[in-house]
Amino acid sequence: MRKIYLLLLLLLTLDIAVMEEPWMYLLFAAEVVTCIVLFVQARLMWNGLEVGFSDKVQVMDFWRRRALDIKLDRGGKKTTRRAAVKLRMGYWQEQKKHSRKIYCGVSRIGEMKFAAKIPYCGLIKFDLEQFWINDRLMVFFAGKKLSDSMLLFVVPGKDALKIEYADAERNEDGSPEEPREGSKASVKLDLTGIQEADQRVLGNFYVLLSALVLGLLKCVSVVRVSWYDEWKQRSCCMEATGLEECRQMLMALYRMGLPDTEEAPETASILEDDSDSPDFCLDLQLRWFRNEQLIYQFSALELDTEMMRKSFTI
């Protein structure tokens, strides 16, 4: 829009100079020189400028909006500019990624932020495709193509299912005792059809799985989660003793199907599954079994409410 206004000003000045005031040619020439200076200045802004994600891998608790940082480095020079960035983003399982052009200011410390809507838990990939920065009067944008990417692991919060073992030992006040050292529970994940499942189904599954593991950890000290990786054709297993291990297990599940181009911290914790008869089973239809008997089937539409209100004695 500012370019249009500037063009109209140039045409008006030229018209006045031709029709009535020859001295206006000097003003027209000054305006043309100013435009050239601004145009060149916008391109000189790229000198020493490096644009990319400050972290190649980020982990965040599930929420529907998130401020992400893109790092700008001008060799120590501090500056404030208006900028624009073109991103391609989407869950890695999605065939079609969404492309966005985002206008934002650049802070003096060399970072800019933008909000992204995160509808489901899972692994989101951001590809930085192009970046523009403007002159001091914000008339001309100069840009160039970039190639940088970031993986964002969106993990569930700390919600846990309300689970009690019927034969659990209790304190004098009737509350269950702390889990005994070395007590275990095993959960088998039925991931049949995961390659065709959409992100809404997977997001609900990850939320329920996290709540199930954290709920079981109130009854036992270790929860062993096993699954079959259809991409690598192998059985896998991870053990969780708390929130951090639970999230590492989820991140390992998110990575299924990704090429092994880089080492991941959670990869070292993956074990070969040697369990014969798991205590529990959870599938993509949100059905929770114990010894092949259905305990409860959760609803995708009412999942948050059911996890909060339901209690299970098993």
Side-chain angles (χ1 to χ4, degrees):
M1 186 59 70
R2 297 192 182 200
K3 291 180 182 179
I4 296 176
Y5 291 151
L6 184 58
L7 178 61
L8 292 176
L9 178 61
L10 289 172
L11 292 176
L12 179 61
T13 304
L14 181 61
D15 182 64
I16 295 175
V18 172
M19 300 298 296
E20 299 180 7
E21 302 290 343
W23 65 268
M24 292 288 287
Y25 281 114
L26 295 176
L27 179 59
F28 175 74
E31 291 173 351
V32 171
V33 171
T34 300
C35 290
I36 295 174
V37 170
L38 292 175
F39 181 80
V40 173
Q41 185 188 61
R43 276 141 184 79
L44 290 178
M45 292 293 177
W46 282 107
N47 291 340
L49 179 64
E50 297 179 1
V51 183
F53 292 104
S54 55
D55 297 308
K56 304 304 180 185
V57 177
Q58 292 192 34
V59 181
M60 61 163 281
D61 290 347
F62 172 64
W63 193 245
R64 296 187 180 274
R65 296 192 71 82
R66 164 76 175 192
L68 300 173
D69 298 337
I70 295 179
K71 184 179 180 181
L72 298 178
D73 185 1
R74 295 199 65 212
K77 298 179 181 179
K78 295 181 179 180
T79 182
T80 300
R81 292 288 179 269
R82 183 164 174 79
V85 62
K86 183 180 180 182
L87 289 170
R88 187 173 298 275
M89 55 184 290
Y91 294 93
W92 80 263
Q93 296 97 334
E94 295 176 337
Q95 296 295 327
K96 185 178 180 181
K97 302 293 189 294
H98 305 287
S99 184
R100 295 178 59 189
K101 185 176 182 180
I102 304 168
Y103 293 93
C104 45
V106 181
S107 71
R108 291 189 180 275
I109 60 175
E111 291 184 350
M112 67 182 187
K113 297 183 178 181
F114 64 94
K117 187 175 182 180
I118 309 297
Y120 310 110
C121 291
L123 176 57
I124 302 176
K125 186 177 182 182
F126 293 84
D127 292 308
L128 185 60
E129 296 185 333
Q130 198 163 3
F131 184 83
W132 297 266
I133 196 168
N134 63 1
D135 62 89
R136 295 184 183 277
L137 297 182
M138 296 189 297
V139 176
F140 296 101
F141 274 89
K144 67 178 182 180
K145 292 184 178 180
L146 301 172
S147 179
D148 195 19
S149 61
M150 181 188 74
L151 295 178
L152 177 64
F153 291 86
V154 185
V155 296
K158 302 178 182 179
D159 294 337
L161 291 182
K162 300 174 184 177
I163 302 174
E164 288 187 10
Y165 276 14
D167 56 353
E169 297 182 2
R170 298 183 176 274
N171 298 316
E172 294 180 358
D173 60 359
S175 61
E177 292 185 351
E178 291 294 321
R180 296 191 308 273
E181 186 72 24
S183 57
K184 289 187 177 183
S186 59
V187 179
K188 180 77 173 181
L189 305 182
D190 183 356
L191 302 181
T192 304
I194 190 173
Q195 297 190 34
E196 295 79 27
D198 61 35
Q199 192 60 43
R200 178 185 61 83
V201 172
L202 294 177
N204 288 330
F205 174 77
Y206 296 140
V207 169
L208 179 56
L209 172 59
S210 174
L212 173 59
V213 172
L214 295 179
L216 288 173
L217 284 175
K218 296 180 180 180
C219 304
V220 296
S221 60
V222 179
V223 175
R224 188 179 179 91
V225 182
S226 59
W227 66 89
Y228 182 75
D229 189 332
E230 294 185 8
W231 286 271
K232 295 184 178 180
Q233 301 291 304
R234 67 171 186 175
S235 296
C236 303
C237 177
M238 292 185 72
E239 292 185 347
T241 58
L243 179 64
E244 185 61 31
E245 290 84 358
C246 179
R247 290 185 170 178
Q248 289 181 2
M249 177 266 298
L250 288 170
M251 292 166 63
L253 285 170
Y254 293 174
R255 284 184 179 272
M256 283 198 308
L258 282 178
D260 296 330
T261 55
E262 58 185 53
E263 290 295 327
E266 66 276 2
T267 304
S269 301
I270 298 180
L271 309 172
E272 289 293 333
D273 180 24
D274 57 1
S275 58
D276 297 326
S277 55
D279 300 319
F280 304 98
C281 179
L282 184 68
D283 63 17
L284 294 179
Q285 287 74 45
L286 308 183
R287 294 180 297 187
W288 177 26
F289 297 88
R290 185 182 189 186
N291 299 328
E292 300 184 355
Q293 296 295 320
L294 179 65
I295 298 176
Y296 192 78
Q297 179 168 7
F298 292 84
S299 167
L301 297 177
E302 302 292 335
L303 180 59
D304 292 339
T305 302
E306 290 177 340
M307 289 196 310
M308 180 177 61
R309 296 181 179 178
K310 291 283 184 180
S311 59
F312 302 91
T313 302
I314 54 178

